[in-house]
C-alpha cells in the first residue's frame, strides 16, 4: 500500500480536471448555485445506489453522533462556504488569480492537520510541497492576459479575501473530513469495506451541502431556475457528469486518499488540476500554452516526483 494515498490524490486531480471543464459549461447554462444544488442531490442519489449495491441497504452504515456532526461541519465549510467564496473570487478577480490563491489550501491543510491530528511532514516533504506549489503558481500566472501581470496588492481586496477564504475552507474542510472519518471508523455499527467509509462520510457532507446551497439559492435567485433546468436534457447531462467526477468520485476518493497519507501531501497533489488542465484547455477551448505555463508544469512534475522519494 506504499504511495497508495499519493496515487489516489493524483487520480483525484485528474477527476477534478474533468469537473472543471464540465462545470464551465454547466455553470454557464444553469448558474452556479443551481448547479451546486443539483450536484449535491445527484450525489446523494448515486451514493444510495452504491450503498444498496454493495451493502444491500440504500443508507450508509450507522455511526456516532460525533461522526455525523464532524462530517456535516466539513460539508458546510468545504462545500458551501468554500465553493461560495471560490465562485465569488472568480467573478471579482478572475479564475487565474483565484487558482493562484488556491495554492494556499495545501498549506492550510498541513497546518490544520498538525494542530488537530498531530500529523507531521518531513523536511523533504515540505520541500516537495513548496516545489509543487511554486510550479502551479508559475503556470497559473502564465495563463492568458495581455502579457502584463498585476501585483497581488493591486487586486480588489474583497476578491482577495474571497480567494483566501476559499483556499482556507478547502484545506480546513479536508482535515475536518479526516477527523469525521476517524470518529466514523471508531463507532461504525456494522463492519464494512474500508474503501466504502469515505463514501459513507461524504453522504453526510452532501446533506450539509444541499441544505446550505438551497438556502443560498432561495435568498439569491429562487428555485424557478432549478425547476426549469430539471427538465432540460443538456443541463441535467452536464450536472450528472459534473457530479460523477466531482462530489461523487472526486471527493469520495479525496477522502480515501487522506486515510493513507497526510492531509498536506494529499491536498498538494490534488492541487495539480491547473497543470493537468493545460492540454485539455488548449484542445477544447483553444487557450494558448505559454512558455511560463510549461516551465511551471515541469517544476510541478519535479515536485511530485520528490514525494515518491520520501
Amino acid at each position: 500500500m506504499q504511495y497508495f494515498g499519493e496515487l489516489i490524490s493524483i487520480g483525484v486531480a485528474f477527476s477534478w480536471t474533468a469537473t472543471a471543464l464540465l462545470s464551465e459549461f454547466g455553470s454557464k447554462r444553469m448558474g452556479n448555485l443551481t448547479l451546486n444544488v443539483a450536484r449535491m442531490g445527484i450525489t446523494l442519489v448515486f451514493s444510495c445506489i452504491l450503498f444498496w449495491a454493495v451493502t444491500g441497504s440504500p443508507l450508509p452504515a450507522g455511526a456516532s453522533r460525533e461522526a455525523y456532526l464532524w462530517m456535516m461541519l466539513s460539508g458546510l465549510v468545504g462545500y458551501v462556504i468554500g465553493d461560495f467564496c471560490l465562485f465569488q473570487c472568480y467573478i471579482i478577480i478572475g479564475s487565474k488569480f483565484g487558482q493562484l490563491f488556491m495554492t494556499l489550501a495545501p498549506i492550510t491543510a498541513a497546518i490544520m492537520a498538525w494542530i488537530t491530528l498531530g500529523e507531521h511532514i518531513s523536511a523533504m516533504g515540505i520541500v516537495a510541497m513548496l516545489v509543487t506549489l511554486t510550479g502551479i503558481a508559475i503556470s497559473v500566472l502564465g495563463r492568458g492576459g495581455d502579457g502584463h501581470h498585476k501585483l497581488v496588492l493591486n487586486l480588489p481586496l474583497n476578491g482577495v479575501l474571497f480567494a483566501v477564504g476559499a483556499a482556507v475552507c478547502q484545506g480546513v474542510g479536508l482535515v475536518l473530513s479526516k477527523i469525521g472519518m476517524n470518529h466514523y471508523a471508531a463507532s461504525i455499527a456494522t463492519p464494512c469495506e474500508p474503501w466504502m467509509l469515505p463514501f459513507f462520510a461524504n453522504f453526510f457532507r452532501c446533506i450539509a451541502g444541499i441544505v446550505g446551497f438551497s438556502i443560498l439559492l432561495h435568498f439569491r435567485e429562487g428555485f424557478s431556475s432549478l425547476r426549469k433546468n430539471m427538465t432540460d436534457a443538456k443541463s441535467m447531462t452536464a450536472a450528472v457528469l459534473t457530479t460523477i467526477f466531482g462530489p461523487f468520485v472526486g471527493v469520495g476518493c479525496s477522502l480515501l486518499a487522506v486515510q493513507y497519507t497526510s492531509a498536506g501531501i494529499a491536498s498538494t497533489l490534488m492541487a495539480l488540476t491547473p497543470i493537468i488542465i493545460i492540454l485539455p484547455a488548449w484542445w477544447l477551448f483553444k487557450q494558448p500554452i505559454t512558455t511560463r505555463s510549461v516551465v511551471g508544469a515541469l517544476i510541478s512534475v519535479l515536485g511530485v516526483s520528490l514525494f515518491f522519494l520520501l
Side-chain angles (χ1 to χ4, degrees):
M1 301 297 287
Q2 188 178 20
Y3 303 130
F4 183 67
E6 287 82 356
L7 291 171
I8 290 291
S9 299
I10 294 174
V12 170
F14 278 94
S15 182
W16 283 348
T17 299
T19 301
L21 295 170
L22 292 165
S23 294
E24 182 171 346
F25 171 78
S27 61
K28 288 179 179 178
R29 190 174 184 89
M30 302 176 65
N32 288 327
L33 287 176
T34 301
L35 176 61
N36 275 310
V37 170
R39 290 196 314 161
M40 296 296 101
I42 295 169
T43 301
L44 290 175
V45 173
F46 283 173
S47 297
C48 291
I49 294 172
L50 175 65
F51 301 156
W52 179 78
V54 176
T55 69
S57 170
L59 297 176
S64 67
R65 181 181 299 176
E66 288 79 8
Y68 300 149
L69 290 176
W70 279 110
M71 295 312 307
M72 294 182 75
L73 178 61
S74 168
L76 177 65
V77 172
Y79 276 142
V80 183
I81 302 176
D83 281 357
F84 178 78
C85 288
L86 183 62
F87 291 136
Q88 287 300 114
C89 87
Y90 283 171
I91 293 171
I92 298 169
I93 64 175
S95 60
K96 181 172 71 174
F97 285 108
Q99 288 175 352
L100 174 63
F101 279 100
M102 287 304 290
T103 58
L104 295 173
I107 299 171
T108 303
I111 295 173
M112 181 70 175
W114 172 63
I115 294 172
T116 59
L117 298 170
E119 289 186 356
H120 294 279
I121 301 177
S122 66
M124 179 62 81
I126 293 173
V127 170
M129 283 181 63
L130 293 176
V131 170
T132 303
L133 296 176
T134 299
I136 294 171
I138 290 173
S139 179
V140 168
L141 283 175
R143 303 270 184 89
D146 55 4
H148 301 287
H149 302 292
K150 290 190 289 186
L151 294 174
V152 172
L153 293 177
N154 290 335
L155 295 173
L157 177 61
N158 59 341
V160 172
L161 292 176
F162 276 123
V164 172
V168 170
C169 285
Q170 186 179 92
V172 171
L174 186 65
V175 177
L176 292 175
S177 296
K178 188 165 186 176
I179 295 172
M181 284 192 296
N182 289 343
H183 283 281
Y184 211 123
S187 63
I188 192 167
T190 55
C192 69
E193 295 290 338
W195 65 269
M196 283 293 294
L197 186 60
F199 292 93
F200 288 158
N202 193 43
F203 181 87
F204 296 99
R205 293 184 87 232
C206 287
I207 290 177
I210 196 169
V211 171
F213 281 124
S214 295
I215 293 172
L216 288 174
L217 181 63
H218 171 71
F219 284 105
R220 292 175 67 90
E221 302 174 12
F223 290 96
S224 58
S225 175
L226 179 63
R227 289 191 292 267
K228 177 183 176 182
N229 282 285
M230 289 284 288
T231 59
D232 181 71
K234 289 185 178 179
S235 294
M236 292 310 299
T237 299
V240 168
L241 292 176
T242 304
T243 299
I244 291 173
F245 290 106
F248 184 56
V249 174
V251 174
C253 288
S254 74
L255 302 185
L256 179 64
V258 296
Q259 290 185 297
Y260 293 94
T261 189
S262 72
I265 290 175
S267 186
T268 300
L269 294 173
M270 294 174 202
L272 286 170
T273 295
I275 301 299
I276 299 171
I277 206 171
I278 291 175
L279 283 177
W282 168 76
W283 181 53
L284 293 173
F285 305 121
K286 309 304 179 185
Q287 293 182 4
I289 299 176
T290 65
T291 302
R292 189 185 293 263
S293 65
V294 173
V295 170
L298 293 175
I299 293 174
S300 293
V301 170
L302 173 62
V304 170
S305 67
L306 292 176
F307 281 114
F308 295 93
L309 297 178
L310 298 178

